[in-house]
């Protein structure tokens, strides 16, 4: 028996409450046939001109509406807070949980039977998944898709990845300001999110791997006409989901998360996927830990040859068969029993899909990097609760390294001296920048791929060991130890390191240690003082009082755990 539509608690009421709900829609020109018992489909739109990656989602929303109407549903679009990487300060991550909370409450408080979540830029996809997971109403994700490849001087260039590279070359004086400006105007050639395997592309792929997106939705370029067709199909499927009882809780199970973690390893996904998947799982009460990423990810090689770990971009990935082709290759390594928004399993969705370009989607016998080369989880006296490093983006020789620490208490302190030609730093130095974590910054910004000191750039050095409690962009590269937990601002051991201490990074052994004995660390702890809170009011105050650490997803502690989708009490 099909579940009762939630919207009938609003529109099916024959008295005052129903009158109020119906007649206000009539004021918008919506006839009574729209609320005669057909499913109401919410279209949650993170469009904003302040989020260029999502600037085309109005066109996508129109296509979703067409699909809803063709399938006999009633579409109602609503806005949600849009989190744009290019503009938001101090970091968009500070607002991911706020956006998730808004999406959850809008879904729960309104007459919605199913919802299509339109996302794109990095934090909008995990925020939407978190909100939908908590609201408990049937939901699908549809991302805006990646940009077309950047083109500069006859070659492909990738958003983020080549920005970091070209910026360092400009600082080193190997390119001119005129060349840098030409590159700036050549990189982003269309609507869409970053076309590298950065966080936006990673989370789109993982939304599909989790079962929350129709097959193929993660890879098609934003301007590909087939994306509009798939948006229509998504709207139509939302109508079917409304009476299916197939909620995010039923789709995003432990096995679905294990599949997503394995897919993340095979695509060379962003380290940011770790905090986002942990947060989504936390909303559902699914047991997922930091160490699962190392254990499960180590089973698979890197198979997708995309920047920043490889050569190609999302456009080539889509034309090579996209995520469905990769999943078909991975079928012996994935759980076959996970249900998706199609009503079929992930493997059934992808059965028979071919790989069209083996240079992009590599076979197991010829991977980009062998198994165990992806995101590694480190523990040790510097990271009791864990830290992560993206091995595929690091200089291999630095994965086992011991050197003297050069320590800075803030990002600004480091940037103030980064250009100093007399800075006491060598290629063996371990650069440590702390108080950049969830509470310390606040918001855990993407600064972990710290710009190298100009002294080293001038000497031809292009990588060094860098350690922080921050994150880094999924488009970035370098030997960067990230997400150190607990963070320095709450008294984690990173707060106790001093310049000159020997720091040992042992990625094969999964260790991160400062070579200082326990007694000395305890002596230093006795003199440590917590930094002053970054805010005394508003969202930032609430965030810093309740945010969890990186090893548990950087969610707010009072939002963890599952809820239900029961309509709230009547308003009148």
């Amino acid at each position: 028996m099909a579940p009762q539509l939630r919207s009938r608690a609003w529109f099916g009421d024959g008295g005052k409450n129903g009158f109020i709900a119906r007649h206000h829609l009539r004021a918008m020109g919506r006839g009574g046939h729209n609320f005669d018992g057909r499913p109401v489909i919410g279209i949650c739109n993170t469009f904003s001109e302040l989020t260029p990656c999502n600037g085309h989602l109005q066109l996508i929303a129109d296509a979703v509406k067409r699909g809803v109407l063709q399938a006999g549903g009633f579409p109602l679009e609503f806005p949600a807070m849009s989190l744009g990487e290019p503009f938001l300060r101090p970091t968009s991550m500070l607002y991911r949980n706020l956006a998730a909370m808004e999406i959850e409450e809008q879904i729960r408080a309104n007459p919605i039977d199913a919802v299509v979540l339109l996302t794109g830029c990095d934090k909008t996809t995990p925020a939407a998944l978190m909100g939908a997971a908590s609201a408990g109403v049937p939901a699908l994700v549809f991302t805006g898709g990646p940009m077309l490849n950047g083109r500069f001087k006859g070659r492909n260039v990738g958003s983020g990845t080549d920005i970091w590279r070209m910026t360092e070359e400009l600082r080193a004086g190997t390119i001119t300001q005129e060349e840098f400006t030409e590159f700036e105007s050549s990189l982003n050639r269309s609507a869409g999110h970053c076309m590298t395997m950065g966080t936006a592309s990673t989370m789109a792929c993982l939304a599909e791997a989790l079962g929350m997106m129709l097959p193929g939705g993660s890879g098609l370029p934003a301007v590909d006409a087939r994306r509009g067709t798939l948006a229509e199909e998504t709207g139509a499927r939302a109508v079917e989901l409304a009476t299916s009882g197939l909620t995010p809780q039923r789709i995003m199970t432990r096995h679905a998360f294990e599949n997503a973690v394995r897919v993340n390893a095979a695509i060379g996904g962003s380290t940011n996927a770790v905090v986002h998947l942990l947060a989504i799982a936390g909303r559902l009460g699914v047991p997922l830990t930091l160490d699962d990423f190392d254990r499960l990810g180590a089973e698979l090689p890197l198979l997708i040859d995309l920047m920043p770990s490889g050569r190609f971009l999302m456009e080539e990935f889509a034309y090579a068969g996209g995520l469905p082709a990769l999943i078909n290759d991975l079928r012996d390594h994935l759980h076959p029993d996970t249900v998706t928004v199609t009503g079929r399993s992930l493997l059934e969705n992808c059965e028979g899909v071919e790989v069209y370009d083996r240079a992009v989607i590599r076979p197991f016998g010829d991977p980009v990097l062998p198994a165990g080369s992806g995101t590694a989880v480190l523990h040790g006296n510097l990271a009791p609760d864990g830290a992560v490093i993206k091995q595929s983006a690091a200089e291999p020789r630095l994965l086992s390294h011991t050197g003297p620490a050069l320590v800075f208490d803030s990002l600004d302190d480091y940037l103030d001296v980064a250009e100093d030609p007399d800075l006491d730093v060598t290629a063996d130095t371990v650069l440590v920048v702390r108080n950049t974590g969830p509470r310390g910054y606040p918001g855990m910004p993407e600064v972990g791929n710290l710009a190298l000191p100009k002294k080293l750039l001038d000497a031809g050095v292009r990588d060094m060991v860098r350690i922080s409690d921050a994150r880094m962009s999924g488009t970035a590269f370098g030997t960067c130890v990230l997400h150190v937990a607990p963070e320095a601002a709450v008294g984690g051991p990173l707060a106790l390191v001093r310049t000159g201490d020997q720091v040992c990074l042992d990625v094969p052994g999964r260790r991160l240690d400062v070579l200082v004995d326990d007694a000395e660390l305890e002596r230093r702890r006795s003199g440590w003082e917590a930094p002053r809170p970054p805010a005394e009011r508003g969202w930032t105050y609430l965030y810093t009082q309740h945010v969890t650490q990186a090893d548990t997803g950087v969610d707010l502690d009072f939002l963890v755990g599952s809820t239900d989708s029961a309509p709230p009490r009547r308003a009148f």
Side-chain angles (χ1 to χ4, degrees):
M1 182 177 178
Q4 174 70 31
L5 292 172
R6 291 179 79 252
S7 60
R8 301 312 293 161
W10 283 262
F11 300 128
D13 186 317
K16 176 176 62 179
N17 284 280
F19 177 92
I20 291 170
R22 293 187 299 269
H23 93 284
H24 279 289
L25 281 175
R26 291 182 186 276
M28 295 171 63
R30 308 296 176 89
H33 64 281
N34 286 299
F35 33 87
D36 60 0
R38 66 190 63 198
V40 177
I41 307 302
I43 301 173
C44 176
N45 196 344
T46 58
F47 159 82
S48 171
E49 291 184 346
L50 292 173
T51 306
C53 302
N54 295 17
H56 62 302
L57 291 186
Q58 288 176 310
L59 296 175
I60 297 293
D62 288 342
V64 174
K65 288 177 186 176
R66 292 196 300 269
V68 171
L69 291 168
Q70 290 162 9
F74 178 27
L76 290 174
E77 182 181 349
F78 64 94
M81 184 178 187
S82 193
L83 309 178
E85 293 296 321
F87 301 148
L88 270 178
R89 294 185 179 180
T91 168
S92 63
M93 185 64 174
L94 177 62
Y95 304 104
R96 182 201 65 179
N97 301 335
L98 179 59
M101 187 159 58
E102 180 201 5
I103 291 169
E104 171 189 350
E105 298 301 338
Q106 289 213 67
I107 294 172
R108 182 181 293 110
N110 282 294
I112 293 172
D113 299 308
V115 61
V116 176
L117 306 156
L118 301 184
T119 67
C121 198
D122 291 16
K123 309 305 177 296
T124 57
T125 299
L129 284 167
M130 292 162 67
S134 295
V137 170
L140 302 90
V141 171
F142 193 79
T143 57
M147 307 174 206
L148 297 177
N149 291 357
R151 295 288 295 174
F152 177 64
K153 293 189 173 181
R155 66 181 180 89
N156 285 339
V157 286
S159 47
T161 303
D162 280 298
I163 295 173
W164 316 130
R165 184 175 292 116
M166 293 287 281
T167 301
E168 297 287 62
E169 297 306 327
L170 180 66
R171 291 177 63 221
T174 59
I175 63 169
T176 65
Q177 185 65 55
E178 289 74 19
E179 288 175 306
F180 192 70
T181 301
E182 181 187 352
F183 165 69
E184 177 185 323
S185 64
S186 305
L187 183 58
N188 294 355
R189 301 192 300 118
S190 76
H193 60 68
C194 290
M195 79 296 272
T196 48
M197 188 53 77
T199 305
S201 296
T202 298
M203 291 310 300
C205 289
L206 298 189
E208 188 174 335
L210 282 168
M212 292 295 294
M213 188 189 302
L214 291 186
S218 60
L220 285 171
V223 293
D224 193 308
R226 291 171 293 178
R227 182 161 288 278
T229 301
L230 194 60
E232 285 190 1
E233 293 172 5
T234 297
R237 181 56 188 159
V239 175
E240 297 171 344
L241 278 181
T243 56
S244 70
L246 192 56
T247 61
Q249 290 93 328
R250 287 185 56 195
I251 293 171
M252 292 190 285
T253 61
R254 167 71 190 193
H255 277 185
F257 279 100
E258 290 189 0
N259 283 349
V261 170
R262 291 186 173 109
V263 167
N264 188 59
I267 64 176
S270 168
T271 51
N272 289 308
V274 176
V275 291
H276 296 323
L277 288 179
L278 287 170
I280 298 164
R283 293 296 185 96
L284 295 162
V286 172
L288 187 69
T289 69
L290 184 59
D291 289 331
D292 285 329
F293 287 83
D294 204 344
R295 179 179 60 83
L296 297 169
E299 298 173 4
L300 287 169
L302 174 59
L303 297 175
I304 305 302
D305 197 351
L306 261 64
M307 298 182 193
S309 300
R311 300 171 294 167
F312 299 103
L313 296 164
M314 287 295 289
E315 197 173 340
E316 285 92 359
F317 182 40
Y319 303 154
L323 197 72
L326 174 66
I327 287 173
N328 201 33
D329 274 0
L330 295 177
R331 59 191 311 110
D332 292 339
H333 301 270
L334 301 176
H335 294 292
D337 59 346
T338 58
V339 67
T340 72
V341 290
T342 68
R344 302 184 302 275
S345 75
L346 182 67
L347 299 188
E348 287 173 332
N349 286 343
C350 304
E351 188 171 3
V353 179
E354 295 181 42
V355 175
Y356 299 116
D357 189 342
R358 279 297 182 191
V360 179
I361 303 176
R362 303 275 278 272
F364 274 85
D366 183 28
V368 181
L369 289 171
S373 301
T375 298
V377 176
L378 312 174
H379 292 278
N381 69 356
L382 261 186
D385 294 335
V388 302
I389 184 171
K390 187 172 181 178
Q391 299 175 86
S392 60
E395 183 71 36
R397 64 180 177 81
L398 292 174
L399 294 176
S400 296
H401 179 80
T402 299
L406 178 60
V407 181
F408 296 90
D409 284 328
S410 73
L411 179 63
D412 287 340
D413 286 350
Y414 170 62
L415 295 179
D416 285 345
V417 300
E419 304 296 314
D420 185 351
D422 297 321
L423 185 65
D424 187 11
V425 62
T426 73
D428 290 329
T429 298
V430 175
L431 184 59
V432 177
V433 176
R434 58 195 175 202
N435 297 309
T436 54
R439 294 191 188 185
Y441 195 73
M444 201 183 181
E446 292 183 339
V447 298
N449 58 315
L450 299 155
L452 297 188
K454 190 171 188 302
K455 178 180 178 179
L456 297 186
L457 287 175
D458 291 344
V461 176
R462 292 297 182 267
D463 197 7
M464 68 184 301
V465 176
R466 288 157 275 181
I467 299 174
S468 72
D469 38 19
R471 300 176 299 114
M472 78 174 184
S473 168
T475 67
F477 52 87
T479 310
C480 304
V481 178
L482 312 160
H483 309 187
V484 174
E487 64 175 305
V490 300
L494 201 63
L496 310 179
V497 182
R498 294 181 178 176
T499 293
D501 289 345
Q502 291 290 309
V503 173
C504 178
L505 171 63
D506 177 13
V507 176
R510 300 303 195 255
R511 297 289 302 181
L512 180 66
D513 294 286
V514 58
L515 304 183
V516 175
D517 62 49
D518 292 345
E520 172 60 17
L521 290 177
E522 283 305 311
R523 189 186 69 78
R524 295 179 186 181
R525 182 175 298 282
S526 66
W528 177 79
E529 294 183 4
R532 182 178 177 180
E536 296 180 355
R537 62 175 298 279
W539 169 251
T540 302
Y541 173 79
L542 181 67
Y543 176 92
T544 54
Q545 294 299 303
H546 292 280
V547 69
T548 67
Q549 290 294 292
D551 61 304
T552 55
V554 198
D555 201 358
L556 302 187
D557 52 19
F558 59 82
L559 293 175
V560 175
S562 58
T563 56
D564 62 65
S565 61
R569 290 185 296 176
R570 297 178 181 182
F572 303 100

